[in-house]
Amino acid sequence: MAGDDQVNVNLGVVQETLLIPLWARAVEANRTEPILCDTKAVEMVGAIDYDFEKFAKGRGSQVGCCLRASIIDDWVREFLWEHPDGTVVEIGAGLDTRFERLDNGEVQWFELDLPDVIAIRRRFFEETERRRFISRSVLTTEWLPVVEESAPGPFFFVAEGVFMYFEEQQVKDLLANSARFDHLARTHIKRFPLAMRIMWRLWPAMRRSYAIHLLRLRAAQEATIPV
């Protein structure tokens, strides 16, 4: 039973999957050498009334979620290094905490998701002049003017663990709609080609990082086995 201070979640089937990466980051934060340390995720898992133990058998998924998040963090850091006051748009933000991990004090940040998800986000995060929530479906075009009219760019779009739930044509339409931001570009960065490079680069990078991490885990385990 939920405590008086716990947050109840009442999400659709697809939206409920956002709890998996949240749990994954919380578990990772408690390891001795975490892939990434997300103390906010630990706080949120403790505050949400949900049986997270059902995810406990998914060790591969847990590590994979954290590797994916860490890789994308590095790409966003690179973008912010070149464009400190640029704009990051998280498509299907879920209960992600990337802003907490990467905020440089200058970036403009938008977090887009369905109304029921944004309602939960508001229990844990506050909007500011630089961090704003957009309660819309990414499959519509209603969110595009909100970003376009509020931030000058350049823009970096993050869609982490989102496209797998869409039909191919829906993904094509989304990328085509996002390409409207190209005319706002004032640097060599072009959002649409960048998005394509991210798609092609993600899985090879994850496989390499996953293999390295597993080797480190195995070495650590062997080091603790009595001879």
Side-chain angles (χ1 to χ4, degrees):
M1 176 176 271
D4 293 338
D5 58 346
Q6 285 198 296
V7 177
N8 290 299
V9 291
N10 185 18
L11 299 168
V13 175
V14 172
Q15 294 96 301
E16 190 172 345
T17 60
L18 62 83
L19 297 171
I20 298 174
L22 175 68
W23 162 84
R25 297 194 309 275
V27 169
E28 194 66 26
N30 288 317
R31 300 193 188 283
T32 304
E33 294 185 48
I35 297 169
L36 76 169
C37 188
D38 192 338
T39 55
K40 184 66 175 180
V42 176
E43 172 195 327
M44 293 168 70
V45 166
I48 293 174
D49 177 39
Y50 188 83
D51 179 19
F52 286 96
E53 286 301 315
K54 67 173 67 176
F55 303 142
K57 294 182 180 180
R59 172 60 178 158
S61 295
Q62 186 271 318
V63 174
C65 284
C66 294
L67 285 171
R68 180 180 65 192
S70 178
I71 291 167
I72 296 176
D73 278 3
D74 286 344
W75 291 341
V76 177
R77 283 193 192 94
E78 182 180 348
F79 170 77
L80 294 178
W81 178 259
E82 296 182 7
H83 311 282
D85 59 349
T87 301
V88 175
V89 182
E90 289 207 82
I91 295 172
L95 295 179
D96 196 66
T97 55
R98 183 162 282 114
F99 181 83
E100 277 66 31
R101 299 196 297 270
L102 303 182
D103 179 30
N104 63 0
E106 298 180 64
V107 63
Q108 297 290 320
W109 202 284
F110 293 88
E111 291 161 330
L112 166 68
D113 216 314
L114 295 171
D116 52 353
V117 177
I118 294 297
I120 297 176
R121 286 196 69 83
R122 294 187 187 279
R123 298 290 300 272
F124 295 100
F125 308 103
E126 292 185 3
E127 288 187 273
T128 67
E129 291 184 358
R130 295 189 299 105
R131 182 190 203 174
R132 280 157 282 188
F133 304 151
I134 304 178
S135 182
R136 296 284 190 280
S137 168
V138 68
L139 298 178
T140 72
T141 58
E142 297 174 355
W143 62 275
L144 293 166
V146 177
V147 175
E148 190 173 12
E149 295 168 7
S150 303
F155 299 88
F156 191 101
F157 292 88
V158 177
E160 181 179 357
V162 174
F163 291 166
M164 66 186 74
Y165 298 108
F166 296 160
E167 299 294 333
E168 179 180 352
Q169 188 57 51
Q170 291 175 318
V171 175
K172 290 180 178 179
D173 291 343
L174 169 58
L175 293 175
N177 287 333
S178 299
R180 68 187 285 177
F181 288 90
D182 280 352
H183 78 277
L184 298 175
R186 296 294 183 269
T187 71
H188 64 284
I189 289 182
K190 295 294 184 181
R191 259 68 58 189
F192 190 75
L194 177 62
M196 295 305 294
R197 286 201 298 273
I198 287 174
M199 288 180 195
W200 285 110
R201 288 171 55 195
L202 181 56
W203 285 112
M206 282 188 66
R207 282 198 299 268
R208 289 194 298 271
S209 297
Y210 192 23
I212 292 171
H213 189 70
L214 287 179
L215 287 173
R216 290 178 62 190
L217 284 174
R218 184 175 299 172
Q221 290 168 349
E222 291 175 352
T224 60
I225 297 175
V227 178

